[in-house]
Amino acid sequence: MPDHVPKPLQSEQTLLAFDYGLKKIGVALGNTLTNQARPLCILTPATREQRFAQVGALLAEWQPDRVVVGLPLTLDGDEQPASRHSRRFAHQLEGRFRVRVELVDERGSSLEAQRILGSRAPDDAMAAAVILQRYLDHQA
C-alpha cells in the first residue's frame, strides 16, 4: 500500500465577487478549477429594488457556489463607514438569495485595478476581479 494517499479532487466551484459601492457595484466571475478571476460588469442601479433585481439576475445566471464581497478597511486595517455598507450588503445577499458570502479585505484593489487597466477608465469590475483573485489565491 502506498505511503502517499492523493487528496480527493476538489469539485469545481463558481464564484461571483462584488466591489460594493452606493452608486456602482463592480462584479467579477471566477472558479476554483482555473483559480482565475475576471471582470464581468458594473452595475449602476438607481434604486434598492433595481440593485437586488440586477444582483438576483446575475446570481440566477451564474449560480455561484460562493459570493465574495469586498470589505473596505483603513490602511491600518480598521473598519470605516463604508465597511458597514459592505457588511450590510453581504448580509442582504445571504438573507435574500441564500448564498454563502465571504468578506475579503479590499484595501488597494482600486489602485491595483487602475494599474492593470493602465488608465482611469471605470475600474469597479476590475477591482472586483482583484478582490476575487486575492480570495482564490488564499484558498489554494
Side-chain angles (χ1 to χ4, degrees):
M1 184 163 185
D3 293 328
H4 179 271
V5 178
K7 293 180 186 176
L9 293 174
Q10 181 183 13
S11 63
E12 179 179 358
Q13 293 187 348
T14 300
L15 293 90
L16 272 180
F18 295 97
D19 179 22
Y20 180 76
L22 295 177
K23 294 184 180 174
K24 297 186 292 183
I25 303 170
V27 185
L29 178 68
N31 73 56
T32 57
L33 183 65
T34 64
N35 223 32
Q36 296 291 312
R38 68 176 176 88
L40 190 61
C41 63
I42 300 173
L43 304 178
T44 55
T47 66
R48 185 173 186 264
E49 292 76 23
Q50 286 178 348
R51 175 188 320 137
F52 287 111
Q54 291 173 1
V55 167
L58 287 170
L59 293 171
E61 178 179 356
W62 295 102
Q63 299 183 2
D65 298 285
R66 277 177 281 168
V67 171
V68 170
V69 174
L71 180 64
L73 300 172
T74 65
L75 291 176
D76 295 331
D78 295 327
E79 298 229 353
Q80 57 178 314
S83 306
R84 188 178 80 248
H85 295 295
S86 291
R87 284 189 183 280
R88 183 169 184 221
F89 178 68
H91 286 105
Q92 289 171 331
L93 293 178
E94 288 176 329
R96 281 179 180 249
F97 301 108
R98 304 281 183 236
V99 293
R100 185 172 146 208
V101 178
E102 306 274 347
L103 289 163
V104 174
D105 181 349
E106 69 169 45
R107 281 180 286 183
S109 60
S110 292
L111 289 173
E112 190 172 338
Q114 287 176 358
R115 184 187 56 76
I116 292 167
L117 293 171
S119 71
R120 291 212 174 263
D123 61 6
D124 305 83
M126 183 58 77
V130 167
I131 294 163
L132 182 53
Q133 191 62 56
R134 287 178 186 172
Y135 178 80
L136 288 166
D137 290 347
H138 285 93
Q139 299 304 304

